[in-house]
Amino acid sequence: MSGDEKAEAMEINELRLKNNSFGIIDAQDAEAAQFKSERVKSLVLRVLGVGENLAPEFALQTALVDECGTRLSETDLLDPGAYRNSIHDLIFLLVSSIASTSDVAMEVDAEDSLGSILVIPELDKIQSTKESMALHYLMSTYSRLNTESRNEFFQDYEKQMCLDLRELVLSNVVILLRGYCEPFLSGKLARSSLVRLLYSNLVANSFLSDIIEHCTNRELSDENALSEMVNRPDFLPELVTGIAGREIAHLSYLGPFLSYGIPCDEFVTPIASKFFGDNETPKAEALNMMYESYRRRFETTRSLMHQIVHQLVANPSSRGRCLDYFAAVIKHNEKRAQMRADFATLASHTFTVNLMCVLFELSSKIDLSKVNAMYPFQTNSRVDITEKTRLKMDLQGAKEFAEKCRTLCHSWIFVSYLQLLSCKNMETKGWR
């Protein structure tokens, strides 16, 4: 064999060795990818409650459980772009497949039931509905996900799946509450179920915080939804009674959020006696410890309220309507500043304090040098000071001064209104 033939044979052998080594590497990569995929699949099944430990909602739905495993096997679980839609649809399928525990909703007729106390009978009839079970399933899924996320031995791809699952679970919670699961599940009953859980203190603060953070995430939310919300008829309802202050607090869309708290008005104190008997009054040294838990809870709640309202005033399409609402609430509750105010006709103490905290939080970072102090004198001002007492000016002088200020101030900025509105709300609380 000549030298050229030997060299050619050696090159052929080298190529064969390289091809064989590449084949071994490809096989190893495929095996590693399969191993990762199986681990991720097991993680997803555990979180969704359709793995080895079945969630009680699917104990008798073998076909559905098998379908979940099949769908995940057909999905590339290492590619977020490929699995996000598939898993989202899978969660939706599981939620919409939940059946009620009974054909007839359980009724509770006890006088001390939640529905009787709040005069909302529906709250006592929704515990066994499929909407209530669907919400409970999503909350349980969220809890299982939190447990899995604390696993210190997870690899990066498993940690990424936990982050994506959190977003997908919260997305399905919002879909359920907004009624997008109809006709399978009623959005109204789902929201009523959440109200019952909130009043029963069965919803974790972290769960509520994550929902609000998810809804206020500009990358995930539809900003048009904010303008749709503030244009609802009940966002700033037409008032028809002679007790406008209490009416707007009860009937407005944001009213229930701002009214959250312990009833402390003089005429509703008998409600508290249902839960705290006269013989259960704690000792003085135990009061601070007992009150501290309530303070922390209210701080968390008001922080969530601030997040909600901040999105409304930060979005140009919803800002004006939201400011109109605050101005109307304060205007109709101005009599709270009187010495002998009839609080039965005005917004509750809880509502007013919560509103004050939200406005303070919104205006906490305002630079006072940017506040236009002459804004209340403009014709389009939402802050009405015409009835305020003046120390060195009569009514005619006040009108002339106001006209002079209108000619000097042709524009105003948002921070001016927000700061002055916060100060005016302090007066309705009775603080001067």
Side-chain angles (χ1 to χ4, degrees), residues 207-239:
F207 180 71
L208 291 176
S209 300
D210 284 351
I211 289 178
I212 293 177
E213 183 179 354
H214 177 83
C215 293
T216 55
N217 188 332
R218 292 183 178 273
E219 297 180 358
L220 301 175
S221 61
D222 181 8
E223 292 190 2
N224 293 329
L226 296 178
S227 59
E228 292 177 3
M229 185 176 74
V230 297
N231 288 323
R232 292 168 54 106
D234 60 347
F235 187 85
L236 184 53
E238 181 180 355
L239 306 179

PDB file of all heavy atoms in Angstrom, residues 207-239:
ATOM      1  N   PHE A 207     -51.399  35.146  48.805  1.00  0.00           N
ATOM      2  CA  PHE A 207     -52.208  34.808  47.631  1.00  0.00           C
ATOM      3  C   PHE A 207     -52.879  36.061  47.069  1.00  0.00           C
ATOM      4  O   PHE A 207     -52.848  36.308  45.856  1.00  0.00           O
ATOM      5  CB  PHE A 207     -53.250  33.762  48.025  1.00  0.00           C
ATOM      6  CG  PHE A 207     -54.146  33.321  46.900  1.00  0.00           C
ATOM      7  CD1 PHE A 207     -53.651  32.539  45.869  1.00  0.00           C
ATOM      8  CD2 PHE A 207     -55.480  33.686  46.871  1.00  0.00           C
ATOM      9  CE1 PHE A 207     -54.471  32.131  44.826  1.00  0.00           C
ATOM     10  CE2 PHE A 207     -56.305  33.279  45.840  1.00  0.00           C
ATOM     11  CZ  PHE A 207     -55.794  32.501  44.810  1.00  0.00           C
ATOM     12  N   LEU A 208     -53.461  36.872  47.942  1.00  0.00           N
ATOM     13  CA  LEU A 208     -54.098  38.112  47.493  1.00  0.00           C
ATOM     14  C   LEU A 208     -53.075  39.067  46.887  1.00  0.00           C
ATOM     15  O   LEU A 208     -53.331  39.705  45.856  1.00  0.00           O
ATOM     16  CB  LEU A 208     -54.807  38.784  48.666  1.00  0.00           C
ATOM     17  CG  LEU A 208     -56.048  38.079  49.228  1.00  0.00           C
ATOM     18  CD1 LEU A 208     -56.566  38.816  50.443  1.00  0.00           C
ATOM     19  CD2 LEU A 208     -57.131  37.968  48.171  1.00  0.00           C
ATOM     20  N   SER A 209     -51.922  39.167  47.523  1.00  0.00           N
ATOM     21  CA  SER A 209     -50.882  40.067  47.014  1.00  0.00           C
ATOM     22  C   SER A 209     -50.433  39.652  45.621  1.00  0.00           C
ATOM     23  O   SER A 209     -50.250  40.494  44.734  1.00  0.00           O
ATOM     24  CB  SER A 209     -49.682  40.078  47.967  1.00  0.00           C
ATOM     25  OG  SER A 209     -50.052  40.528  49.247  1.00  0.00           O
ATOM     26  N   ASP A 210     -50.259  38.350  45.421  1.00  0.00           N
ATOM     27  CA  ASP A 210     -49.810  37.871  44.109  1.00  0.00           C
ATOM     28  C   ASP A 210     -50.876  38.095  43.038  1.00  0.00           C
ATOM     29  O   ASP A 210     -50.551  38.386  41.883  1.00  0.00           O
ATOM     30  CB  ASP A 210     -49.451  36.385  44.187  1.00  0.00           C
ATOM     31  CG  ASP A 210     -48.108  36.158  44.857  1.00  0.00           C
ATOM     32  OD1 ASP A 210     -47.399  37.151  45.089  1.00  0.00           O
ATOM     33  OD2 ASP A 210     -47.768  34.996  45.156  1.00  0.00           O
ATOM     34  N   ILE A 211     -52.154  37.955  43.412  1.00  0.00           N
ATOM     35  CA  ILE A 211     -53.225  38.205  42.443  1.00  0.00           C
ATOM     36  C   ILE A 211     -53.209  39.668  42.006  1.00  0.00           C
ATOM     37  O   ILE A 211     -53.279  39.983  40.810  1.00  0.00           O
ATOM     38  CB  ILE A 211     -54.598  37.838  43.040  1.00  0.00           C
ATOM     39  CG1 ILE A 211     -54.730  36.324  43.178  1.00  0.00           C
ATOM     40  CG2 ILE A 211     -55.726  38.363  42.150  1.00  0.00           C
ATOM     41  CD1 ILE A 211     -56.040  35.891  43.792  1.00  0.00           C
ATOM     42  N   ILE A 212     -53.110  40.565  42.979  1.00  0.00           N
ATOM     43  CA  ILE A 212     -53.108  41.994  42.651  1.00  0.00           C
ATOM     44  C   ILE A 212     -51.859  42.363  41.854  1.00  0.00           C
ATOM     45  O   ILE A 212     -51.921  43.130  40.889  1.00  0.00           O
ATOM     46  CB  ILE A 212     -53.207  42.825  43.940  1.00  0.00           C
ATOM     47  CG1 ILE A 212     -54.585  42.615  44.579  1.00  0.00           C
ATOM     48  CG2 ILE A 212     -52.969  44.302  43.666  1.00  0.00           C
ATOM     49  CD1 ILE A 212     -54.781  43.329  45.881  1.00  0.00           C
ATOM     50  N   GLU A 213     -50.731  41.805  42.245  1.00  0.00           N
ATOM     51  CA  GLU A 213     -49.496  42.076  41.492  1.00  0.00           C
ATOM     52  C   GLU A 213     -49.614  41.568  40.062  1.00  0.00           C
ATOM     53  O   GLU A 213     -49.144  42.211  39.115  1.00  0.00           O
ATOM     54  CB  GLU A 213     -48.312  41.415  42.197  1.00  0.00           C
ATOM     55  CG  GLU A 213     -46.972  41.696  41.535  1.00  0.00           C
ATOM     56  CD  GLU A 213     -45.821  41.057  42.271  1.00  0.00           C
ATOM     57  OE1 GLU A 213     -46.045  40.486  43.360  1.00  0.00           O
ATOM     58  OE2 GLU A 213     -44.679  41.114  41.758  1.00  0.00           O
ATOM     59  N   HIS A 214     -50.255  40.413  39.907  1.00  0.00           N
ATOM     60  CA  HIS A 214     -50.453  39.861  38.565  1.00  0.00           C
ATOM     61  C   HIS A 214     -51.378  40.761  37.743  1.00  0.00           C
ATOM     62  O   HIS A 214     -51.112  41.027  36.564  1.00  0.00           O
ATOM     63  CB  HIS A 214     -51.052  38.455  38.677  1.00  0.00           C
ATOM     64  CG  HIS A 214     -51.358  37.807  37.362  1.00  0.00           C
ATOM     65  ND1 HIS A 214     -50.409  37.150  36.612  1.00  0.00           N
ATOM     66  CD2 HIS A 214     -52.511  37.731  36.646  1.00  0.00           C
ATOM     67  CE1 HIS A 214     -50.963  36.693  35.498  1.00  0.00           C
ATOM     68  NE2 HIS A 214     -52.241  37.031  35.502  1.00  0.00           N
ATOM     69  N   CYS A 215     -52.451  41.236  38.365  1.00  0.00           N
ATOM     70  CA  CYS A 215     -53.423  42.059  37.638  1.00  0.00           C
ATOM     71  C   CYS A 215     -52.878  43.441  37.305  1.00  0.00           C
ATOM     72  O   CYS A 215     -53.306  44.056  36.321  1.00  0.00           O
ATOM     73  CB  CYS A 215     -54.704  42.197  38.460  1.00  0.00           C
ATOM     74  SG  CYS A 215     -55.619  40.653  38.667  1.00  0.00           S
ATOM     75  N   THR A 216     -51.966  43.943  38.127  1.00  0.00           N
ATOM     76  CA  THR A 216     -51.431  45.285  37.899  1.00  0.00           C
ATOM     77  C   THR A 216     -50.127  45.275  37.115  1.00  0.00           C
ATOM     78  O   THR A 216     -49.530  46.338  36.902  1.00  0.00           O
ATOM     79  CB  THR A 216     -51.199  45.999  39.246  1.00  0.00           C
ATOM     80  OG1 THR A 216     -50.349  45.194  40.076  1.00  0.00           O
ATOM     81  CG2 THR A 216     -52.517  46.228  39.962  1.00  0.00           C
ATOM     82  N   ASN A 217     -49.684  44.115  36.704  1.00  0.00           N
ATOM     83  CA  ASN A 217     -48.472  44.013  35.893  1.00  0.00           C
ATOM     84  C   ASN A 217     -48.783  44.496  34.476  1.00  0.00           C
ATOM     85  O   ASN A 217     -49.591  43.901  33.763  1.00  0.00           O
ATOM     86  CB  ASN A 217     -47.979  42.564  35.865  1.00  0.00           C
ATOM     87  CG  ASN A 217     -46.614  42.429  35.207  1.00  0.00           C
ATOM     88  OD1 ASN A 217     -46.231  43.222  34.350  1.00  0.00           O
ATOM     89  ND2 ASN A 217     -45.870  41.422  35.609  1.00  0.00           N
ATOM     90  N   ARG A 218     -48.152  45.582  34.086  1.00  0.00           N
ATOM     91  CA  ARG A 218     -48.456  46.178  32.781  1.00  0.00           C
ATOM     92  C   ARG A 218     -48.100  45.255  31.621  1.00  0.00           C
ATOM     93  O   ARG A 218     -48.666  45.362  30.538  1.00  0.00           O
ATOM     94  CB  ARG A 218     -47.716  47.508  32.631  1.00  0.00           C
ATOM     95  CG  ARG A 218     -48.217  48.589  33.574  1.00  0.00           C
ATOM     96  CD  ARG A 218     -47.492  49.896  33.333  1.00  0.00           C
ATOM     97  NE  ARG A 218     -47.996  50.941  34.203  1.00  0.00           N
ATOM     98  CZ  ARG A 218     -49.039  51.711  33.905  1.00  0.00           C
ATOM     99  NH1 ARG A 218     -49.670  51.542  32.764  1.00  0.00           N
ATOM    100  NH2 ARG A 218     -49.451  52.645  34.743  1.00  0.00           N
ATOM    101  N   GLU A 219     -47.157  44.355  31.828  1.00  0.00           N
ATOM    102  CA  GLU A 219     -46.777  43.434  30.762  1.00  0.00           C
ATOM    103  C   GLU A 219     -47.804  42.323  30.582  1.00  0.00           C
ATOM    104  O   GLU A 219     -47.853  41.692  29.528  1.00  0.00           O
ATOM    105  CB  GLU A 219     -45.407  42.826  31.067  1.00  0.00           C
ATOM    106  CG  GLU A 219     -44.274  43.853  31.106  1.00  0.00           C
ATOM    107  CD  GLU A 219     -42.941  43.208  31.401  1.00  0.00           C
ATOM    108  OE1 GLU A 219     -42.930  41.971  31.614  1.00  0.00           O
ATOM    109  OE2 GLU A 219     -41.922  43.918  31.427  1.00  0.00           O
ATOM    110  N   LEU A 220     -48.604  42.083  31.609  1.00  0.00           N
ATOM    111  CA  LEU A 220     -49.572  40.987  31.549  1.00  0.00           C
ATOM    112  C   LEU A 220     -51.008  41.467  31.416  1.00  0.00           C
ATOM    113  O   LEU A 220     -51.863  40.741  30.924  1.00  0.00           O
ATOM    114  CB  LEU A 220     -49.458  40.114  32.811  1.00  0.00           C
ATOM    115  CG  LEU A 220     -48.092  39.473  33.079  1.00  0.00           C
ATOM    116  CD1 LEU A 220     -48.115  38.750  34.413  1.00  0.00           C
ATOM    117  CD2 LEU A 220     -47.719  38.508  31.965  1.00  0.00           C
ATOM    118  N   SER A 221     -51.282  42.686  31.878  1.00  0.00           N
ATOM    119  CA  SER A 221     -52.663  43.163  31.908  1.00  0.00           C
ATOM    120  C   SER A 221     -52.990  43.995  30.679  1.00  0.00           C
ATOM    121  O   SER A 221     -52.112  44.507  29.993  1.00  0.00           O
ATOM    122  CB  SER A 221     -52.905  44.003  33.173  1.00  0.00           C
ATOM    123  OG  SER A 221     -52.056  45.134  33.170  1.00  0.00           O
ATOM    124  N   ASP A 222     -54.272  44.126  30.450  1.00  0.00           N
ATOM    125  CA  ASP A 222     -54.786  44.934  29.349  1.00  0.00           C
ATOM    126  C   ASP A 222     -55.194  46.289  29.910  1.00  0.00           C
ATOM    127  O   ASP A 222     -56.119  46.387  30.715  1.00  0.00           O
ATOM    128  CB  ASP A 222     -55.987  44.234  28.703  1.00  0.00           C
ATOM    129  CG  ASP A 222     -56.550  45.022  27.527  1.00  0.00           C
ATOM    130  OD1 ASP A 222     -55.921  46.019  27.130  1.00  0.00           O
ATOM    131  OD2 ASP A 222     -57.610  44.636  27.015  1.00  0.00           O
ATOM    132  N   GLU A 223     -54.487  47.346  29.509  1.00  0.00           N
ATOM    133  CA  GLU A 223     -54.773  48.666  30.060  1.00  0.00           C
ATOM    134  C   GLU A 223     -56.175  49.139  29.696  1.00  0.00           C
ATOM    135  O   GLU A 223     -56.750  49.985  30.381  1.00  0.00           O
ATOM    136  CB  GLU A 223     -53.727  49.674  29.571  1.00  0.00           C
ATOM    137  CG  GLU A 223     -52.332  49.413  30.135  1.00  0.00           C
ATOM    138  CD  GLU A 223     -51.376  50.550  29.848  1.00  0.00           C
ATOM    139  OE1 GLU A 223     -51.820  51.543  29.237  1.00  0.00           O
ATOM    140  OE2 GLU A 223     -50.207  50.448  30.231  1.00  0.00           O
ATOM    141  N   ASN A 224     -56.740  48.613  28.614  1.00  0.00           N
ATOM    142  CA  ASN A 224     -58.105  49.001  28.259  1.00  0.00           C
ATOM    143  C   ASN A 224     -59.105  48.537  29.313  1.00  0.00           C
ATOM    144  O   ASN A 224     -60.189  49.108  29.442  1.00  0.00           O
ATOM    145  CB  ASN A 224     -58.480  48.415  26.898  1.00  0.00           C
ATOM    146  CG  ASN A 224     -57.676  49.038  25.768  1.00  0.00           C
ATOM    147  OD1 ASN A 224     -57.290  50.201  25.847  1.00  0.00           O
ATOM    148  ND2 ASN A 224     -57.415  48.274  24.728  1.00  0.00           N
ATOM    149  N   ALA A 225     -58.725  47.491  30.061  1.00  0.00           N
ATOM    150  CA  ALA A 225     -59.625  47.000  31.107  1.00  0.00           C
ATOM    151  C   ALA A 225     -59.824  48.053  32.189  1.00  0.00           C
ATOM    152  O   ALA A 225     -60.886  48.117  32.815  1.00  0.00           O
ATOM    153  CB  ALA A 225     -59.070  45.712  31.712  1.00  0.00           C
ATOM    154  N   LEU A 226     -58.811  48.901  32.425  1.00  0.00           N
ATOM    155  CA  LEU A 226     -58.946  49.945  33.437  1.00  0.00           C
ATOM    156  C   LEU A 226     -59.984  50.974  33.016  1.00  0.00           C
ATOM    157  O   LEU A 226     -60.821  51.396  33.821  1.00  0.00           O
ATOM    158  CB  LEU A 226     -57.593  50.623  33.668  1.00  0.00           C
ATOM    159  CG  LEU A 226     -56.487  49.734  34.250  1.00  0.00           C
ATOM    160  CD1 LEU A 226     -55.189  50.522  34.372  1.00  0.00           C
ATOM    161  CD2 LEU A 226     -56.897  49.183  35.603  1.00  0.00           C
ATOM    162  N   SER A 227     -59.942  51.385  31.755  1.00  0.00           N
ATOM    163  CA  SER A 227     -60.934  52.354  31.288  1.00  0.00           C
ATOM    164  C   SER A 227     -62.328  51.751  31.282  1.00  0.00           C
ATOM    165  O   SER A 227     -63.319  52.434  31.565  1.00  0.00           O
ATOM    166  CB  SER A 227     -60.561  52.853  29.886  1.00  0.00           C
ATOM    167  OG  SER A 227     -60.493  51.775  28.969  1.00  0.00           O
ATOM    168  N   GLU A 228     -62.419  50.452  30.988  1.00  0.00           N
ATOM    169  CA  GLU A 228     -63.720  49.784  31.037  1.00  0.00           C
ATOM    170  C   GLU A 228     -64.254  49.737  32.463  1.00  0.00           C
ATOM    171  O   GLU A 228     -65.455  49.898  32.696  1.00  0.00           O
ATOM    172  CB  GLU A 228     -63.597  48.365  30.473  1.00  0.00           C
ATOM    173  CG  GLU A 228     -63.309  48.315  28.978  1.00  0.00           C
ATOM    174  CD  GLU A 228     -63.130  46.896  28.484  1.00  0.00           C
ATOM    175  OE1 GLU A 228     -63.286  45.960  29.304  1.00  0.00           O
ATOM    176  OE2 GLU A 228     -62.827  46.710  27.293  1.00  0.00           O
ATOM    177  N   MET A 229     -63.363  49.544  33.421  1.00  0.00           N
ATOM    178  CA  MET A 229     -63.800  49.446  34.808  1.00  0.00           C
ATOM    179  C   MET A 229     -64.316  50.786  35.321  1.00  0.00           C
ATOM    180  O   MET A 229     -65.374  50.857  35.958  1.00  0.00           O
ATOM    181  CB  MET A 229     -62.651  48.961  35.691  1.00  0.00           C
ATOM    182  CG  MET A 229     -63.060  48.719  37.136  1.00  0.00           C
ATOM    183  SD  MET A 229     -61.746  48.048  38.145  1.00  0.00           S
ATOM    184  CE  MET A 229     -60.733  49.502  38.354  1.00  0.00           C
ATOM    185  N   VAL A 230     -63.586  51.873  35.048  1.00  0.00           N
ATOM    186  CA  VAL A 230     -64.018  53.171  35.570  1.00  0.00           C
ATOM    187  C   VAL A 230     -65.245  53.696  34.835  1.00  0.00           C
ATOM    188  O   VAL A 230     -65.924  54.602  35.340  1.00  0.00           O
ATOM    189  CB  VAL A 230     -62.874  54.208  35.478  1.00  0.00           C
ATOM    190  CG1 VAL A 230     -61.703  53.785  36.326  1.00  0.00           C
ATOM    191  CG2 VAL A 230     -62.441  54.428  34.037  1.00  0.00           C
ATOM    192  N   ASN A 231     -65.553  53.144  33.679  1.00  0.00           N
ATOM    193  CA  ASN A 231     -66.744  53.564  32.946  1.00  0.00           C
ATOM    194  C   ASN A 231     -67.972  52.731  33.298  1.00  0.00           C
ATOM    195  O   ASN A 231     -69.043  52.925  32.704  1.00  0.00           O
ATOM    196  CB  ASN A 231     -66.486  53.491  31.436  1.00  0.00           C
ATOM    197  CG  ASN A 231     -65.554  54.595  30.960  1.00  0.00           C
ATOM    198  OD1 ASN A 231     -65.612  55.716  31.447  1.00  0.00           O
ATOM    199  ND2 ASN A 231     -64.681  54.277  30.012  1.00  0.00           N
ATOM    200  N   ARG A 232     -67.815  51.826  34.242  1.00  0.00           N
ATOM    201  CA  ARG A 232     -68.975  51.081  34.727  1.00  0.00           C
ATOM    202  C   ARG A 232     -69.970  52.052  35.366  1.00  0.00           C
ATOM    203  O   ARG A 232     -69.573  53.034  36.007  1.00  0.00           O
ATOM    204  CB  ARG A 232     -68.550  50.055  35.782  1.00  0.00           C
ATOM    205  CG  ARG A 232     -67.713  48.910  35.285  1.00  0.00           C
ATOM    206  CD  ARG A 232     -67.125  48.151  36.462  1.00  0.00           C
ATOM    207  NE  ARG A 232     -68.156  47.735  37.401  1.00  0.00           N
ATOM    208  CZ  ARG A 232     -68.592  46.492  37.539  1.00  0.00           C
ATOM    209  NH1 ARG A 232     -68.088  45.540  36.787  1.00  0.00           N
ATOM    210  NH2 ARG A 232     -69.515  46.198  38.424  1.00  0.00           N
ATOM    211  N   PRO A 233     -71.269  51.794  35.225  1.00  0.00           N
ATOM    212  CA  PRO A 233     -72.258  52.702  35.843  1.00  0.00           C
ATOM    213  C   PRO A 233     -72.111  52.795  37.353  1.00  0.00           C
ATOM    214  O   PRO A 233     -72.406  53.839  37.947  1.00  0.00           O
ATOM    215  CB  PRO A 233     -73.603  52.080  35.445  1.00  0.00           C
ATOM    216  CG  PRO A 233     -73.306  51.259  34.228  1.00  0.00           C
ATOM    217  CD  PRO A 233     -71.916  50.745  34.412  1.00  0.00           C
ATOM    218  N   ASP A 234     -71.645  51.705  37.990  1.00  0.00           N
ATOM    219  CA  ASP A 234     -71.560  51.720  39.446  1.00  0.00           C
ATOM    220  C   ASP A 234     -70.215  52.227  39.957  1.00  0.00           C
ATOM    221  O   ASP A 234     -70.007  52.274  41.171  1.00  0.00           O
ATOM    222  CB  ASP A 234     -71.828  50.323  40.015  1.00  0.00           C
ATOM    223  CG  ASP A 234     -70.838  49.279  39.516  1.00  0.00           C
ATOM    224  OD1 ASP A 234     -70.104  49.585  38.549  1.00  0.00           O
ATOM    225  OD2 ASP A 234     -70.797  48.167  40.071  1.00  0.00           O
ATOM    226  N   PHE A 235     -69.298  52.583  39.061  1.00  0.00           N
ATOM    227  CA  PHE A 235     -68.028  53.129  39.553  1.00  0.00           C
ATOM    228  C   PHE A 235     -68.273  54.487  40.211  1.00  0.00           C
ATOM    229  O   PHE A 235     -67.753  54.777  41.290  1.00  0.00           O
ATOM    230  CB  PHE A 235     -67.020  53.267  38.413  1.00  0.00           C
ATOM    231  CG  PHE A 235     -65.647  53.663  38.884  1.00  0.00           C
ATOM    232  CD1 PHE A 235     -64.752  52.705  39.323  1.00  0.00           C
ATOM    233  CD2 PHE A 235     -65.259  54.993  38.914  1.00  0.00           C
ATOM    234  CE1 PHE A 235     -63.494  53.066  39.789  1.00  0.00           C
ATOM    235  CE2 PHE A 235     -64.009  55.367  39.373  1.00  0.00           C
ATOM    236  CZ  PHE A 235     -63.121  54.397  39.807  1.00  0.00           C
ATOM    237  N   LEU A 236     -69.055  55.319  39.563  1.00  0.00           N
ATOM    238  CA  LEU A 236     -69.498  56.590  40.141  1.00  0.00           C
ATOM    239  C   LEU A 236     -71.005  56.653  39.943  1.00  0.00           C
ATOM    240  O   LEU A 236     -71.512  57.269  39.014  1.00  0.00           O
ATOM    241  CB  LEU A 236     -68.798  57.768  39.455  1.00  0.00           C
ATOM    242  CG  LEU A 236     -69.084  59.166  40.009  1.00  0.00           C
ATOM    243  CD1 LEU A 236     -68.821  59.223  41.504  1.00  0.00           C
ATOM    244  CD2 LEU A 236     -68.251  60.214  39.287  1.00  0.00           C
ATOM    245  N   PRO A 237     -71.765  55.978  40.819  1.00  0.00           N
ATOM    246  CA  PRO A 237     -73.208  55.812  40.591  1.00  0.00           C
ATOM    247  C   PRO A 237     -73.976  57.119  40.743  1.00  0.00           C
ATOM    248  O   PRO A 237     -73.546  58.055  41.428  1.00  0.00           O
ATOM    249  CB  PRO A 237     -73.604  54.810  41.683  1.00  0.00           C
ATOM    250  CG  PRO A 237     -72.603  55.017  42.768  1.00  0.00           C
ATOM    251  CD  PRO A 237     -71.317  55.367  42.079  1.00  0.00           C
ATOM    252  N   GLU A 238     -75.113  57.146  40.096  1.00  0.00           N
ATOM    253  CA  GLU A 238     -76.021  58.284  40.250  1.00  0.00           C
ATOM    254  C   GLU A 238     -76.735  58.147  41.594  1.00  0.00           C
ATOM    255  O   GLU A 238     -77.370  57.129  41.877  1.00  0.00           O
ATOM    256  CB  GLU A 238     -77.037  58.301  39.110  1.00  0.00           C
ATOM    257  CG  GLU A 238     -78.002  59.462  39.173  1.00  0.00           C
ATOM    258  CD  GLU A 238     -78.996  59.448  38.029  1.00  0.00           C
ATOM    259  OE1 GLU A 238     -78.853  58.581  37.140  1.00  0.00           O
ATOM    260  OE2 GLU A 238     -79.913  60.295  38.031  1.00  0.00           O
ATOM    261  N   LEU A 239     -76.640  59.158  42.417  1.00  0.00           N
ATOM    262  CA  LEU A 239     -77.179  59.104  43.773  1.00  0.00           C
ATOM    263  C   LEU A 239     -78.613  59.629  43.786  1.00  0.00           C
ATOM    264  O   LEU A 239     -78.908  60.678  43.207  1.00  0.00           O
ATOM    265  CB  LEU A 239     -76.299  59.926  44.716  1.00  0.00           C
ATOM    266  CG  LEU A 239     -74.805  59.545  44.690  1.00  0.00           C
ATOM    267  CD1 LEU A 239     -74.010  60.426  45.626  1.00  0.00           C
ATOM    268  CD2 LEU A 239     -74.617  58.074  45.046  1.00  0.00           C
TER     269      LEU A 239
END
